[in-house]
Amino acid sequence: MIMKLYNTMTRRKEEFVPLVPGEVKMYSCGPTVYNYFHIGNARPFIIFDILRNYLEYKGYKVTFVQNFTDVDDKIIKRAKEEGITEKEVADKYIEEYFKDAEGLGIRRADYHPRVTELISDIINVVKKIQDNGFAYEVDGDVYFDTTKYREYGKLSKQNLEELEAGARVEVGEHKKHPMDFALWKKQKPGEPAWESPWGMGRPGWHIECSAMSMKYLGETIDIHSGGQDLIFPHHENEIAQSEAATGKPFARYWMHNGFININNEKMSKSLGNFFTVRDISKMYDLEVVRLFMISSHYRSPINFSKDLLDSTKNSLERLYIAKNNLLHLLENAKDRDETEEEKALREKLMTHKDKFIEAMDDDLNTADAVSAIFDLVRDINSNINENSPKTLIQFAYDLYMELAGVLRIVTKKEESLDDEIEKLIEERQKARKEKNWALADKIRDDLKSRGIILEDTPQGVKWRRA
RNA sequence: GGCGACAUAGCCAAGUGGUAAGGCAGAGGACUGCAAAUCCUUUAUUCCCCGGUUCAAAUCCGGGUGUCGCCUCCA
């Protein structure tokens, strides 16, 4: 079936048909690496990682690019504060990005370009724009001339006059129009700079994404994504620059995720409701955060709180218990032919996969996809037990892991126990055989206080971590 | 002023014309030596309010109300 995606450009769900059949080229705006990334940054990283996975699951060859902005005012400021170089700041937080991203189950992109590595490519794009008559230089700064680009505002559905009314013009800027923006910024004392046809300077903020997208994916790409706040001005400017440079459409589908609020308020440092993923990782397994993010639709605004994470943690627990039950059943399963009824069960379980795919095809409705997994889990729990044949258990397990794998949840393996605890469990089993319930319960309570929960099942004792 | 989003049970959240998914929390039951896990039952005559269209609306239209966001760095 054909997938539908909501395209910000047309404000409609559209059938997704890539430019080259079977191949998808996607670019997602990445972090400015001056700090640990926060829970709001995490949302697009997770969502578009899942989009990428799902497109691959559907059989597309996906090329995915996500940039690191490693030259920018915030990085320069940070470097000055800490008395280290801009590169050291960027290197550190790129490394930290990968740590947190891995915890969240986010795969690395095919390319993670850094601005400082592509300066000459960026300069070339700026030159092209200037050669095409869409940019002008004023004393070492190069600005994009928005009045020359007739379609300016097509993504955010604004026109120049309206924008002008709300615009703020900084003193000392030499722009011809308030909405013009810098492609190249003249060096200021003490700032990192590179040689260019306009003298020493550094790229403006928006140009890097245009240059990187073109370099790794070509002049027209399939999907460009990011947070809703990037629609204007960042993505609007990217479109203007790129199309002014190439004369070709820049991206065919624009996808934007909704914001995360804290108690219905925007997260900001001044309100003191700012959470980095690193902070959260100290209290929760980050897989909980991943499940939380995909439990609602990516375009809806969502609230974030500890209570919501606690609730999600319990949901995830249910999924893990189901997985581990299947593994446990598999260990001692009987080899025998399936009955007609059991064969019919396979069909029933497959209906959940259909629902899953239908949901994902509908503009990445992960909330519905997750509910399909819960439906599958319920059917598995109700119908598969210690009497089920091995082939059926394996089938259920594989199906479950296939769907969970697309979302990259329920990925962790069961850990092993240390010898001391193994011994206590054996001791308890012995006590139970002798009907020494007092001792058996005492051992169970002791283990519980050490974070090990025991369950007595028809196939013997099972354990899990609290 | 311009552009836009959201409002569904105690909480979270799908559904967007055909009679309210799923999760968490709670209650009752089955199972168990007792638990845990699991399963079953139960929790919205109703989807912010008021009109309208329709055989039929949470879903479409009009008008309100409330909350939030972008237009300035921002996911």
Side-chain angles (χ1 to χ4, degrees):
Chain A
M1 223 185 84
I2 285 195
M3 190 177 189
K4 284 189 174 174
L5 295 175
Y6 183 87
N7 189 348
T8 307
M9 185 64 86
T10 56
R11 309 276 161 118
R12 278 201 311 263
K13 279 186 203 172
E14 294 177 1
E15 289 195 344
F16 175 70
V17 182
L19 196 59
V20 177
E23 291 180 24
V24 178
K25 303 203 182 303
M26 58 187 282
Y27 184 98
S28 203
C29 292
T32 300
V33 282
Y34 70 106
N35 200 348
Y36 297 106
F37 67 89
H38 58 69
I39 189 74
N41 297 309
R43 193 175 191 191
F45 299 158
I46 291 168
I47 292 299
F48 299 116
D49 174 62
I50 285 176
L51 175 62
R52 174 197 192 192
N53 285 343
Y54 185 63
L55 289 168
E56 286 179 352
Y57 177 72
K58 285 183 81 76
Y60 292 107
K61 182 185 180 299
V62 180
T63 310
F64 182 56
V65 179
Q66 186 185 71
N67 66 300
F68 285 119
T69 301
D70 65 348
V71 197
D72 136 293
D73 290 347
K74 294 190 286 280
I75 292 172
I76 293 167
K77 184 165 170 256
R78 184 103 196 181
K80 289 217 167 81
E81 282 167 5
E82 298 194 5
I84 56 178
T85 65
E86 286 80 12
K87 185 171 187 312
E88 284 168 325
V89 172
D91 284 348
K92 173 174 161 61
Y93 288 108
I94 285 173
E95 199 178 310
E96 304 297 352
Y97 165 86
F98 282 126
K99 280 186 202 163
D100 289 335
E102 194 184 334
L104 289 167
I106 298 163
R107 285 157 65 206
R108 295 202 178 207
D110 296 299
Y111 301 97
H112 276 289
R114 300 168 59 152
V115 176
T116 53
E117 291 167 350
L118 270 82
I119 296 291
S120 65
D121 297 277
I122 291 171
I123 288 172
N124 283 337
V125 176
V126 176
K127 270 201 284 202
K128 257 194 201 168
I129 297 169
Q130 197 179 18
D131 290 348
N132 292 347
F134 290 95
Y136 55 92
E137 186 200 340
V138 183
D139 187 28
D141 286 330
V142 180
Y143 293 102
F144 186 88
D145 191 341
T146 48
T147 58
K148 290 268 167 60
Y149 182 71
R150 306 180 72 89
E151 292 180 315
Y152 192 80
K154 67 180 174 182
L155 182 67
S156 56
K157 310 296 173 209
Q158 311 244 31
N159 62 51
L160 274 181
E161 293 75 51
E162 284 156 358
L163 286 166
E164 190 171 354
R168 187 182 71 184
V169 187
E170 301 218 0
V171 183
E173 290 195 38
H174 314 290
K175 296 177 188 176
K176 292 201 282 194
H177 184 100
M179 297 322 294
D180 291 353
F181 53 92
L183 297 171
W184 188 262
K185 295 163 125 167
K186 185 184 177 180
Q187 181 180 25
K188 289 179 191 150
E191 286 188 358
W194 289 264
E195 287 210 39
S196 81
W198 316 281
M200 294 296 285
R202 62 182 165 106
W205 173 42
H206 311 291
I207 194 70
E208 63 185 70
C209 290
S210 294
M212 290 168 176
S213 185
M214 281 179 215
K215 181 181 174 83
Y216 294 101
L217 301 172
E219 293 181 336
T220 299
I221 69 167
D222 293 301
I223 301 170
H224 193 115
S225 57
Q228 262 165 11
D229 59 320
L230 294 182
I231 294 172
F232 191 90
H234 185 56
H235 288 162
E236 197 71 73
N237 290 354
E238 280 186 45
I239 292 169
Q241 292 165 343
S242 305
E243 300 189 354
T246 68
K248 292 177 185 157
F250 179 48
R252 304 172 60 243
Y253 300 87
W254 287 88
M255 294 179 68
H256 295 95
N257 60 278
F259 262 58
I260 289 183
N261 293 320
I262 313 290
N263 298 323
N264 285 317
E265 276 180 320
K266 183 176 172 172
M267 176 167 56
S268 74
K269 281 182 178 164
S270 55
L271 285 169
N273 57 2
F274 195 85
F275 294 97
T276 65
V277 168
R278 186 58 56 92
D279 290 338
I280 293 162
S281 74
K282 288 167 188 157
M283 296 181 283
Y284 296 90
D285 189 311
L286 289 179
E287 193 175 8
V288 173
V289 175
R290 186 174 179 96
L291 180 58
F292 169 74
M293 292 287 185
I294 65 177
S295 294
S296 54
H297 190 86
Y298 75 90
R299 281 189 285 120
S300 305
I302 52 175
N303 247 317
F304 177 82
S305 72
K306 196 170 171 302
D307 284 350
L308 294 174
L309 281 191
D310 285 335
S311 169
T312 306
K313 186 184 171 193
N314 290 340
S315 301
L316 188 60
E317 179 85 3
R318 177 175 166 81
L319 296 178
Y320 267 107
I321 288 170
K323 174 187 181 181
N324 291 331
N325 279 344
L326 286 172
L327 287 173
H328 193 244
L329 288 171
L330 220 39
E331 279 175 28
N332 308 299
K334 302 179 179 93
D335 279 312
R336 66 164 171 79
D337 291 339
E338 290 177 24
T339 63
E340 286 308 310
E341 222 169 280
E342 284 162 345
K343 282 176 186 160
L345 180 62
R346 287 179 174 237
E347 295 302 312
K348 192 180 178 202
L349 295 184
M350 285 299 279
T351 62
H352 301 304
K353 176 175 170 176
D354 296 340
K355 182 187 165 190
F356 179 91
I357 288 172
E358 200 180 316
M360 293 295 280
D361 276 344
D362 184 15
D363 191 29
L364 211 66
N365 191 337
T366 52
D368 250 2
V370 168
S371 86
I373 290 180
F374 275 102
D375 287 340
L376 172 67
V377 163
R378 166 170 285 136
D379 267 346
I380 288 173
N381 286 338
S382 316
N383 294 295
I384 292 185
N385 55 45
E386 63 277 5
N387 298 315
S388 302
K390 193 166 191 171
T391 51
L392 182 64
I393 300 169
Q394 187 71 52
F395 173 81
Y397 178 79
D398 290 345
L399 178 61
Y400 178 24
M401 287 302 108
E402 176 184 327
L403 301 188
V406 174
L407 302 177
R408 299 193 99 220
I409 54 174
V410 203
T411 53
K412 295 196 170 47
K413 298 262 190 300
E414 206 166 61
E415 309 153 65
S416 57
L417 287 172
D418 57 55
D419 291 348
E420 190 205 340
I421 288 172
E422 293 277 15
K423 258 187 197 144
L424 283 170
I425 292 175
E426 269 172 46
E427 212 176 294
R428 176 169 173 274
Q429 287 304 85
K430 203 174 147 224
R432 289 185 71 224
K433 239 173 225 166
E434 293 161 359
K435 297 198 189 296
N436 185 351
W437 308 126
L439 178 61
D441 290 354
K442 186 183 176 301
I443 294 173
R444 189 171 61 194
D445 289 346
D446 286 350
L447 287 176
K448 192 178 177 188
S449 67
R450 293 166 68 167
I452 306 287
I453 293 171
L454 295 186
E455 299 174 12
D456 300 320
T457 76
Q459 285 189 318
V461 67
K462 270 184 82 232
W463 65 273
R464 64 188 162 91
R465 294 196 192 276

